[in-house]
Amino acid sequence: MAEIPNLIEDLALILVVAGIVTLVFKKLKQPLVLGYIVAGFLVSPHMPYIMSVVDKGDIHTWADIGVMFLLFSLGLDFSFKKILKMGMAPVIAALTIIFSMMTLGILVGHSFGWNRMDCIFLGGMLAMSSTTIIYKAFDDLGLRQQRFASLVMSVLILEDVLAIVMMVMLSAIASGNNPDGGEMLGSILKIGFFLVLWFVVGIFLIPLFFRKTRKLMNSETMVIVALGLCCLMAVLSTKVGFSSAFGAFVMGSIIAETVEADKIVKLVEPVKNLFGAIFFVSVGMLVEPKVLVDYAIPILALVLTILLGQGIFGTAGFMLSGQSLKNAMRCGFSMAQIGEFAFIIASLGLSLGVIGKFLYPVVVAVSVITTFLTPYMIRFAEPCYNHIEKRLPKKWVRRMNHVGNAHQNSTEEENAWKVLLRKMLINTAIYGILSTAVVTLMLTFVLPLCRNMLSHWPGNAVCGLLTVLMISPFLRSMVMKNVHSDEFRQLWTESLLNRLPLIFTMIVRVAIAAMFIFYIVNYLTRFKEALMITIAGVALVAMVLSRRLKHRSIKLERLFIKNLRSREIAEQVNGERRPLFEGRLLDRDIHIGDFDIPEDSTWIGRTLKDLQFRNRFGVHVSSILRGSLRINIPNGRQIIFPGDRISVIGSDEQLKNFSQAIANALIPEDPEIEKREMKLRKFILSDGTPFIGKTLAESGIRDRYGCMVVGVEEGQENLTLVDPQRKFEKGDIIWLVGEEADLEKVRQQIPVLTTTSASSS
């Protein structure tokens, strides 16, 4: 018999142990991430009394795949448009927290005498709170619908994005012995360049691809295509010097803008869970008990650093973003832990060989402790605020609690110059990056091919002409975009003093566009500068005056906008968009919460009038989403169906009580479900049977005994359906379906009865 490969044995051991341990953690209401880590510790070679993994190399390979799929799933939940709509408040809070916690981590590492790279990576680990753990804690405590929880989740999304950037930066730092500011700036520009390039090109191509193949896509092909695109971008990311995880995240964020995003999220979920579990198990395998004992003091010091640091600097960050003291403390205390990204950053440091092996188990131990303390920190925020409120002067407390409202109500009008310059800057950056990418590809790959086919100078001419033609729509948009905008016209007509600066903005953009053509010509020829500038000028004039080129550039822009808004349009059509008035309620401690009605809810089949949500909880049902149908302002006659998503308006406390009521209003599980089996029995009616002389309705077989008459056997091959007007007679052979206990009740009601089971007949 053939032997089972070590990989299969290891995988079986990991999944079995992980399954048992996570069931225990589920029973204890602890995060499953901790269960995976404990399972990894149990199957590691550091536990000598039980079976352990044989080939750790294969497991680490699978763990790398797990990281990639985890970040791909994170990208699917991420949206660039959501970040832009958040405003500056989450950005200020996230940057403050990351900078403060990273500085604290570096200082703590230096205090223990650890080397430079250990301190830098430790700072990166402490700066990242765990989205998974905090989301789970909010869910368990019934706080997910409260306003401060949504603020925390906004900051966590930004932290996850910045963690990707941090990983790239840490890789750049680790690759050089002593990187200077120029290298750091170059790395940042490189990240920005490829992010914009991949996102813009992806939004052009990916939604178009899904749109063209929509009729051919089923669940099987869609999950294969999605994971294939994820792996493709991961490979491209590694080719340009980034990590595979970074590329997977970018592809996830691109697919997040497509109509198919929600379906792909559900399809990819099992794959992410499998490989994610293997990753977290591999994290637990690196925990060494000896290291934990030797580094007990640093572990405790890091735990205190996270708890106090997030409590103080997290609160300060949210206050700087415009939140009241109470909300800021609840937000800051909620983020006092580290999780998945700390492990990913630690894995990066180990793979690059720049951090000590002791740091990984230390960080895992810190994560385990802070995760256990997370619910207590969330609960501790309000008592801590009440204590501070009593100690601080009333005037200070009043100002700090009203800063949020003042910040929200004081909206400043952006002037036309700011709007116009921002549009021009974004437009120039995007089209500049696209033009740079096209020029690089043409001169790197197409130019050698043209020279081989046409000789040197003809090949140069053909390649140069093709390159200029390909980038011409981008350069024209760079020069002419926003010239006819409302802001430009307003500034032009308002004052003669505005016209010179406006003309200058056009000259600058023309110069930038000319630099691209100048570079192409200079790369392919060695003529004098005057000739190059003349060629560039003529080409630019031709571009500006070309109406065909204008239509082409407009068509490309419209396609991009259409692809970018495809998911938003689908949500509008399907009735899934949140109402516009939601933002107006935030200043009044009232907001909208969405709740899913479980399939086993006791509310199913009852009307809103019967349920009395307004009287019982003080909330208002604004809409019901049922599949693709949205019922706005439902009346009291509307019936609740399983799977309905209802939008409810209320305060934090009211929504919390409503959420708890949904969780409690469930049909209890049947402890004796095995006895509910339906069986088929044959009954022969004899003298004294109470059913004789009665019709089917009068007999009460269905209403009183819970059984159903299938038919009457009259000597034929098939049973005869019972006529409702027919009365049962002596000798009738009837077939009943029902539960065992109900059939037994029928048998007891018949003095002389012969029964036969279906299987024995």
Side-chain angles (χ1 to χ4, degrees):
M1 183 176 179
E3 293 186 1
I4 298 177
N6 291 334
L7 178 62
I8 304 300
E9 292 182 359
D10 292 340
L11 185 61
L13 177 63
I14 285 175
L15 295 181
V16 169
V17 175
I20 295 172
V21 174
T22 49
L23 285 175
V24 175
F25 273 66
K26 189 76 172 177
K27 181 69 175 178
L28 299 175
K29 296 183 178 180
Q30 295 299 324
L32 296 185
V33 174
L34 291 181
Y36 293 138
I37 294 172
V38 172
F41 178 71
L42 294 176
V43 301
S44 69
H46 308 298
M47 291 293 290
Y49 303 108
I50 60 176
M51 295 177 62
S52 61
V53 169
V54 177
D55 192 344
K56 292 198 296 183
D58 287 338
I59 301 302
H60 288 315
T61 301
W62 284 39
D64 292 338
I65 300 175
V67 174
M68 189 171 69
F69 287 148
L70 278 173
L71 291 179
F72 178 62
S73 298
L74 175 64
L76 288 172
D77 292 330
F78 169 81
S79 172
F80 286 96
K81 291 183 292 186
K82 289 180 182 178
I83 295 295
L84 294 176
K85 290 178 181 179
M86 287 178 188
M88 287 303 296
V91 177
I92 294 171
L95 292 177
T96 303
I97 294 170
I98 290 175
F99 177 78
S100 302
M101 294 305 299
M102 193 165 187
T103 303
L104 281 179
I106 293 173
L107 292 176
V108 172
H110 276 299
S111 67
F112 288 109
W114 297 344
N115 65 45
R116 174 174 167 272
M117 294 307 299
D118 285 336
C119 295
I120 293 175
F121 272 79
L122 176 64
M125 297 175 209
L126 298 192
M128 296 297 142
S129 298
S130 171
T131 306
T132 305
I133 294 170
I134 294 175
Y135 185 88
K136 182 68 168 61
F138 283 158
D139 205 28
D140 293 341
L141 297 174
L143 303 175
R144 192 157 53 89
Q145 299 292 344
Q146 296 200 12
R147 183 186 170 195
F148 88 94
S150 64
L151 294 172
V152 173
M153 297 309 297
S154 299
V155 173
L156 289 172
I157 291 174
L158 283 173
E159 281 196 353
D160 291 342
V161 177
L162 293 174
I164 304 293
V165 179
M166 183 183 294
M167 289 170 59
V168 179
M169 295 301 302
L170 290 174
S171 300
I173 294 173
S175 62
N177 295 326
N178 190 20
D180 56 16
E183 292 179 0
M184 296 286 288
L185 179 61
S187 299
I188 294 175
L189 293 176
K190 184 180 179 182
I191 295 170
F193 174 82
F194 282 104
L195 263 178
V196 174
L197 175 63
W198 286 337
F199 181 70
V200 173
V201 174
I203 290 297
F204 267 114
L205 299 180
I206 302 300
L208 186 63
F209 169 74
F210 279 119
R211 196 177 302 130
K212 295 295 185 182
T213 59
R214 189 167 291 160
K215 294 182 179 179
L216 303 175
M217 288 279 190
N218 56 20
S219 297
E220 181 180 357
T221 55
M222 185 168 288
V223 71
I224 297 300
V225 168
L227 295 179
L229 291 172
C230 168
C231 295
L232 174 63
M233 184 58 79
V235 172
L236 291 176
S237 179
T238 56
K239 294 295 184 183
V240 297
F242 299 140
S243 66
S244 58
F246 178 71
F249 172 81
V250 172
M251 180 52 69
S253 63
I254 293 172
I255 295 179
E257 304 297 345
T258 65
V259 177
E260 289 78 8
D262 292 331
K263 186 175 182 180
I264 292 175
V265 169
K266 296 177 182 178
L267 293 174
V268 173
E269 187 76 14
V271 180
K272 181 203 74 173
N273 291 339
L274 172 62
F275 286 100
I278 295 174
F279 166 69
F280 289 117
V281 168
S282 70
V283 169
M285 290 169 56
L286 294 173
V287 177
E288 299 182 30
K290 183 177 182 302
V291 173
L292 300 183
V293 174
D294 294 341
Y295 289 86
I297 294 178
I299 289 173
L300 294 177
L302 291 173
V303 170
L304 291 175
T305 300
I306 293 172
L307 298 181
L308 295 176
Q310 288 285 6
I312 296 172
F313 293 108
T315 300
F318 281 99
M319 286 193 68
L320 288 174
S321 69
Q323 300 304 313
S324 65
L325 176 61
K326 184 176 182 179
N327 267 348
M329 290 186 68
R330 298 180 77 185
C331 294
F333 281 47
S334 301
M335 300 181 67
Q337 82 292 117
I338 57 175
E340 55 271 13
F341 261 112
F343 308 145
I344 294 172
I345 293 173
S347 298
L348 175 65
L350 280 181
S351 64
L352 296 173
V354 295
I355 65 172
K357 293 184 178 180
F358 73 91
L359 193 56
Y360 206 123
V362 167
V363 170
V364 171
V366 172
S367 173
V368 170
I369 297 172
T370 54
T371 299
F372 275 118
L373 295 176
T374 295
Y376 302 101
M377 285 292 292
I378 296 175
R379 294 192 185 101
F380 183 62
E382 197 158 345
C384 186
Y385 166 76
N386 294 332
H387 179 77
I388 292 176
E389 186 182 29
K390 294 176 182 178
R391 299 295 187 274
L392 289 176
K394 299 292 184 182
K395 188 176 182 181
W396 291 14
V397 175
R398 193 162 49 248
R399 286 183 178 179
M400 286 186 288
N401 280 333
H402 287 289
V403 66
N405 292 333
H407 177 77
Q408 292 166 354
N409 293 330
S410 60
T411 57
E412 297 181 0
E413 294 287 337
E414 287 188 313
N415 60 51
W417 269 114
K418 288 183 179 179
V419 175
L420 180 63
L421 291 176
R422 185 173 67 245
K423 288 182 177 179
M424 287 182 175
L425 182 62
I426 295 173
N427 177 73
T428 304
I430 292 176
Y431 286 111
I433 288 173
L434 291 174
S435 301
T436 302
V438 172
V439 171
T440 303
L441 292 174
M442 292 295 292
L443 297 183
T444 304
F445 298 105
V446 179
L447 179 59
L449 184 63
C450 291
R451 286 176 175 175
N452 290 335
M453 296 176 61
L454 303 172
S455 75
H456 186 82
W457 290 112
N460 285 1
V462 171
C463 181
L465 182 60
L466 289 176
T467 306
V468 171
L469 289 176
M470 290 183 68
I471 68 172
S472 57
F474 305 141
L475 297 185
R476 186 199 179 278
S477 296
M478 184 189 299
V479 173
M480 297 300 296
K481 187 72 173 174
N482 300 313
V483 171
H484 301 291
S485 65
D486 294 337
E487 295 82 11
F488 193 97
R489 291 176 179 175
Q490 176 187 343
L491 292 170
W492 186 269
T493 56
E494 272 184 358
S495 173
L496 294 175
L497 297 176
N498 288 334
R499 296 188 178 183
L500 187 60
L502 289 172
I503 294 173
F504 179 74
T505 61
M506 296 179 63
I507 293 174
V508 170
R509 289 186 290 166
V510 170
I512 295 174
M515 288 173 59
F516 282 95
I517 300 181
F518 183 90
Y519 176 80
I520 296 170
V521 177
N522 185 54
Y523 188 90
L524 298 174
T525 67
R526 297 302 174 191
F527 293 104
K528 293 182 179 180
E529 289 78 6
L531 179 60
M532 300 175 191
I533 295 174
T534 302
I535 296 174
V538 171
L540 280 174
V541 171
M543 292 175 199
V544 172
L545 298 179
S546 173
R547 297 189 62 84
R548 182 178 180 184
L549 197 58
K550 174 183 177 181
H551 293 311
R552 183 181 173 190
S553 62
I554 292 175
K555 184 178 180 181
L556 288 174
E557 287 184 14
R558 288 177 177 173
L559 177 61
F560 177 80
I561 297 299
K562 179 182 177 181
N563 291 340
L564 186 62
R565 296 188 63 244
S566 58
R567 186 178 182 185
E568 185 178 336
I569 294 171
E571 289 175 348
Q572 289 179 347
V573 173
N574 296 330
E576 298 174 3
R577 290 292 308 278
R578 299 296 294 272
L580 296 176
F581 64 80
E582 179 185 13
R584 299 179 180 270
L585 299 175
L586 296 179
D587 299 342
R588 296 159 178 81
D589 194 28
I590 297 176
H591 58 279
I592 297 178
D594 290 332
F595 300 89
D596 293 321
I597 302 299
E599 295 181 355
D600 54 351
S601 174
T602 58
W603 295 354
I604 292 173
R606 301 176 63 185
T607 64
L608 293 178
K609 183 179 180 181
D610 293 336
L611 293 170
Q612 294 290 319
F613 291 150
R614 184 186 305 175
N615 296 336
R616 293 167 60 193
F617 309 107
V619 299
H620 302 266
V621 178
S622 62
S623 65
I624 300 175
L625 181 62
R626 184 173 298 152
S628 59
L629 172 67
R630 177 179 287 277
I631 305 171
N632 290 323
I633 319 299
N635 56 37
R637 298 187 300 275
Q638 284 293 339
I639 299 174
I640 298 295
F641 283 76
D644 278 354
R645 170 166 289 187
I646 58 177
S647 296
V648 177
I649 301 176
S651 64
D652 283 345
E653 189 65 28
Q654 291 168 343
L655 294 181
K656 177 182 177 181
N657 295 335
F658 188 75
S659 176
Q660 292 174 347
I662 289 180
N664 295 330
L666 300 177
I667 300 173
E669 294 185 6
D670 190 348
E672 298 181 344
I673 193 170
E674 292 83 2
K675 297 181 180 179
R676 302 291 305 275
E677 181 185 5
M678 299 283 285
K679 294 187 177 181
L680 179 66
R681 291 284 186 270
K682 180 171 69 173
F683 295 83
I684 302 176
L685 304 185
S686 57
D687 288 331
T689 302
F691 305 145
I692 294 177
K694 296 181 179 179
T695 64
L696 185 62
E698 294 170 345
S699 68
I701 292 176
R702 179 188 291 268
D703 298 331
R704 293 177 57 191
Y705 302 105
C707 297
M708 180 178 66
V709 179
V710 178
V712 178
E713 186 176 319
E714 296 180 341
Q716 302 174 3
E717 182 178 352
N718 298 322
L719 296 178
T720 303
L721 295 178
V722 179
D723 188 336
Q725 304 301 323
R726 179 187 185 280
K727 296 184 178 181
F728 290 114
E729 301 175 356
K730 176 184 176 182
D732 280 349
I733 302 174
I734 61 175
W735 289 79
L736 304 185
V737 169
E739 297 179 11
E740 183 68 35
D742 294 331
L743 292 172
E744 180 62 22
K745 292 178 184 178
V746 174
R747 190 194 65 78
Q748 292 175 358
Q749 293 297 320
I750 302 177
V752 181
L753 184 66
T754 302
T755 65
T756 308
S757 66
S759 58
S760 61
S761 61

